[in-house]
Amino acid sequence: MDASVMEKLLRCASYSPLHTPKLTSTHNFEFGNPNIHMKWRTRKNNNALVVNASDGGGGGGEVDTAVVEKDKPKVLPPRFQVLQGSPMPFGATAQADGVNFAIYSRNATSATLCLMTPSDLPEKRVTEQIPLDQLTNKTGDVWHVFLKGDFTDMLYGYKFSGEFCPEEGHYYDSSRILLDPYAKAVLSRDEFGVLGPDDDCWSQMACKIPSNHEFDWEGDLPLSFAQRDLVIYEMHVRGFTRHESSKTESPGTYLGVVDKLDHLKELGVNCIELMPCHEFNELEYFSYNPVLGDYRLNYWGYSTINYFSPMLRYASAGGSNGGLDAINEFKQLIKEAHKRGIEVLMDVVFNHTAEGNENGPILSFRGVDNSVFYMLAPKGEFYNYSGCGNTFNCNHPIVRQFIVDSLRYWVTEMHVDGFRFDLASIMTRGSSLFDAVNVYGNQLEDDLLTTGSPLTNPPLIDMISNDPILRGVKLIAEAWDCGGLYQVGMFPHWGMWSEWNGKYRDTVRQFIKGTDGISGAFAECLCGSPNLYQVVENHGTV
């Protein structure tokens, strides 16, 4: 065989990337010389292709053999080792040799853990999906898995399958990546008020995978001031130092507040109450405002997305280092406040979430188990005692444990000194599926309680009041809601709670401003009665 023929044979044999013949059969190819035929046949060595050339003449003899070695296919080791995992604790928990993931969902039919890199997140692309097996990765109503591997810069979320039937309270959609309710940091956009990719107001969000990082608290301990001695400064973190007149290095951030703590101390303040610092989306109502010629933002933050994550866009670091830097900035604020003898309270919003009514987004709770986390009517409608589209199902056993776990986290991990509960009367309403027998073991109230009925012994308030960790912190209730339940002076306090007294506050404000409508007799009482504030104190109001 001449060299040109052999070159053609070898070139054809190496053409397998575009057409790889099955080695269990024989294929014939014709070239420019119709008398030359090529056959593929196999040997026991599956990594070699044996090419036999024969002429087309009467002899039919085999004239030569060319052996071409195939590249062995590269088998990449799995990025993560997948093990059964444990149903407790909820959330993602870093351990010495890996991370345990556990999430509650009673009504889902399947669950998938989704892992994403920071570069895949804005593209709404899942880097790796790990389906959870119902036999090995589910205990009761908890889905769980343990992973070993390299989690550097890795984020996570979940997909759940199940029924999409709003009339029965289910909103399962397996195409959506959901936030873990127990996530310790939520990442999406880094900059406050700036739209996401493609001008998206609801950029894809994901959860931080925790690590065994230790923050240096420098021996920080609770100040434990008596509540009657507090001088509380209610503060919006961004608004407090956003203006250039604050002269801070990091305006509008947790570190910006740190820069002004000495100023607050000079004013005689010994406690600051931070308006909502849980993760929320300031762009949820983003639209053009023709009156002011700008765009509407949710400035105040009373629309929570996640109850464990600090608002990352209040941090100068944004979402850097997987959100860890923002967590540390919040801790730095607490530590520095305590150094100056200033306690820190958090304004928390457990009465509703950012998911709104049936037309709202599916971000976390709704897609995980809507009928558990929200207070629903018999045909799936959302009760709206909050005035914001939905009502958190606070006295459901799963939800009230979730709330207690969140409060404990902020006390033990973040060192906050207490909480002011927005629309706290919702926390005293009966839940969907409320059953006093199942909760306490014996009947305490009428069996025919309807959803949302006020409870004289609400289980959530009982749990918080008698919790061994939470009993030592300040608990302040805004003792009313948008459904008309007004409990000022009557909130079930267990000897632990104080109340906001809105009417008293408004009257004092009117008196100080000299507004018409305040009686001279009451003004005299305000000025001359030493017992007035004692009355307020005894009622536990602030």
Side-chain angles (χ1 to χ4, degrees):
M1 179 184 294
D2 61 36
S4 62
V5 173
M6 179 60 68
E7 181 180 356
K8 289 182 179 179
L9 288 174
L10 291 175
R11 187 161 59 243
C12 182
S14 65
Y15 198 62
S16 58
L18 294 181
H19 179 83
T20 303
K22 296 180 180 179
L23 300 183
T24 55
S25 61
T26 300
H27 299 261
N28 294 323
F29 297 90
E30 287 195 3
F31 293 89
N33 184 347
N35 295 322
I36 299 295
H37 298 274
M38 184 179 71
K39 294 183 180 179
W40 301 84
R41 79 168 190 270
T42 62
R43 288 180 178 174
K44 289 184 180 180
N45 180 2
N46 290 329
N47 293 315
L49 298 179
V50 182
V51 183
N52 295 327
S54 63
D55 62 28
E62 197 172 272
V63 297
D64 210 341
T65 299
V67 179
V68 181
E69 290 290 332
K70 285 172 43 183
D71 290 335
K72 293 183 179 180
K74 294 181 180 179
V75 179
L76 297 176
R79 186 168 185 175
F80 298 99
Q81 183 180 357
V82 181
L83 303 174
Q84 180 176 349
S86 170
M88 296 297 289
F90 289 161
T93 306
Q95 299 181 10
D97 55 345
V99 178
N100 190 77
F101 299 84
I103 186 169
Y104 168 92
S105 182
R106 173 180 297 172
N107 294 296
T109 57
S110 69
T112 301
L113 176 64
C114 302
L115 302 178
M116 291 156 283
T117 61
S119 60
D120 280 341
L121 179 62
E123 302 297 328
K124 301 182 179 181
R125 183 170 55 234
V126 177
T127 309
E128 187 155 350
Q129 299 191 67
I130 300 174
L132 305 188
D133 186 271
Q134 289 205 30
L135 296 179
T136 59
N137 298 117
K138 187 180 182 186
T139 302
D141 296 327
V142 182
W143 302 81
H144 51 82
V145 65
F146 187 89
L147 299 185
K148 294 183 178 181
D150 182 7
F151 294 98
T152 303
D153 294 331
M154 193 64 70
L155 309 172
Y156 79 100
Y158 288 96
K159 291 182 179 180
F160 286 99
S161 296
E163 189 176 15
F164 189 96
C165 182
E167 289 189 357
E168 295 184 10
H170 303 312
Y171 286 79
Y172 289 107
D173 182 349
S174 60
S175 69
R176 298 183 182 273
I177 302 171
L178 304 173
L179 296 174
D180 180 357
Y182 279 79
K184 303 308 185 291
V186 172
L187 288 93
S188 59
R189 298 173 293 105
D190 281 346
E191 191 173 348
F192 190 94
V194 176
L195 293 167
D198 300 321
D199 292 338
D200 192 354
C201 294
W202 285 101
S203 301
Q204 179 62 54
M205 295 176 283
C207 313
K208 167 185 166 55
I209 295 180
S211 59
N212 291 315
H213 171 79
E214 292 291 336
F215 178 78
D216 184 7
W217 281 103
E218 300 181 50
D220 178 68
L221 292 172
L223 298 176
S224 300
F225 293 150
Q227 187 155 299
R228 64 178 176 270
D229 297 329
L230 294 183
V231 178
I232 301 174
Y233 188 108
E234 186 180 22
M235 176 189 297
H236 187 282
V237 169
R238 180 172 172 82
F240 185 58
T241 63
R242 182 61 183 166
H243 193 268
E244 61 183 11
S245 62
S246 68
K247 298 179 181 178
T248 62
E249 293 184 5
S250 303
T253 68
Y254 302 121
L255 294 185
V257 176
V258 171
D259 290 341
K260 306 303 290 186
L261 288 174
D262 290 332
H263 168 67
L264 292 173
K265 186 67 175 178
E266 292 173 1
L267 294 177
V269 172
N270 64 1
C271 180
I272 55 177
E273 180 186 303
L274 302 179
M275 300 175 80
C277 290
H278 288 146
E279 185 69 27
F280 68 93
N281 180 14
E282 73 279 8
L283 298 178
E284 65 174 315
Y285 305 123
F286 188 79
S287 59
Y288 182 69
N289 180 358
V291 176
L292 299 177
D294 58 6
Y295 289 84
R296 296 184 179 93
L297 297 176
N298 179 352
Y299 178 75
W300 301 106
Y302 288 85
S303 193
T304 306
I305 290 174
N306 179 275
Y307 291 98
F308 286 81
S309 171
M311 177 60 169
L312 264 61
R313 288 175 298 286
Y314 282 174
S316 63
S320 64
N321 197 13
L324 179 61
D325 292 341
I327 294 173
N328 287 340
E329 279 192 29
F330 186 91
K331 292 179 177 180
Q332 186 74 14
L333 166 58
I334 306 298
K335 181 173 71 173
E336 295 300 322
H338 286 175
K339 286 181 178 179
R340 292 161 174 81
I342 299 175
E343 291 190 336
V344 182
L345 310 181
M346 289 184 67
D347 194 340
V348 292
V349 187
F350 288 109
N351 56 78
H352 76 284
T353 76
E355 292 182 305
N357 60 18
E358 64 277 3
N359 298 316
I362 301 174
L363 307 172
S364 179
F365 305 99
R366 176 166 295 156
V368 172
D369 212 325
N370 180 77
S371 63
V372 169
F373 285 103
Y374 293 111
M375 198 180 290
L376 303 179
K379 292 186 178 180
E381 305 96 330
F382 289 86
Y383 280 96
N384 191 17
Y385 293 114
S386 67
C388 298
N390 64 54
T391 304
F392 215 44
N393 204 16
C394 294
N395 281 297
H396 186 285
I398 293 297
V399 182
R400 66 175 182 263
Q401 185 62 60
F402 168 81
I403 293 173
V404 169
D405 289 344
S406 171
L407 298 175
R408 284 178 170 179
Y409 175 80
W410 288 95
V411 171
T412 59
E413 181 66 23
M414 307 296 243
H415 288 206
V416 302
D417 300 285
F419 307 93
R420 178 263 188 190
F421 294 82
D422 185 66
L423 299 185
S425 288
I426 284 178
M427 298 162 61
T428 72
R429 291 184 179 272
S431 68
S432 303
L433 307 178
F434 180 84
D435 184 342
V437 175
N438 290 338
V439 174
Y440 287 106
N442 62 310
Q443 181 176 333
L444 296 181
E445 312 228 16
D446 187 357
D447 275 339
L448 301 179
L449 275 173
T450 58
T451 298
S453 296
L455 307 174
T456 56
N457 295 287
L460 173 59
I461 306 302
D462 187 351
M463 285 182 67
I464 295 173
S465 303
N466 293 290
D467 185 82
I469 293 173
L470 302 177
R471 277 187 62 87
V473 304
K474 275 76 176 177
L475 303 171
I476 304 172
E478 184 184 45
W480 58 84
D481 65 22
C482 293
L485 182 56
Y486 187 79
Q487 296 177 308
V488 173
M490 299 175 289
F491 192 83
H493 54 76
W494 267 272
M496 296 296 301
W497 291 72
S498 298
E499 302 167 9
W500 264 31
N501 188 333
K503 293 181 179 179
Y504 175 78
R505 171 201 60 200
D506 295 343
T507 302
V508 172
R509 178 187 295 148
Q510 290 173 348
F511 170 71
I512 293 173
K513 292 174 64 178
T515 307
D516 292 340
I518 180 170
S519 69
F522 187 67
E524 182 180 352
C525 177
L526 279 172
C527 295
S529 172
N531 296 321
L532 177 63
Y533 293 99
Q534 186 65 41
V535 171
V536 176
E537 179 185 327
N538 288 343
H539 278 281
T541 57
V542 293

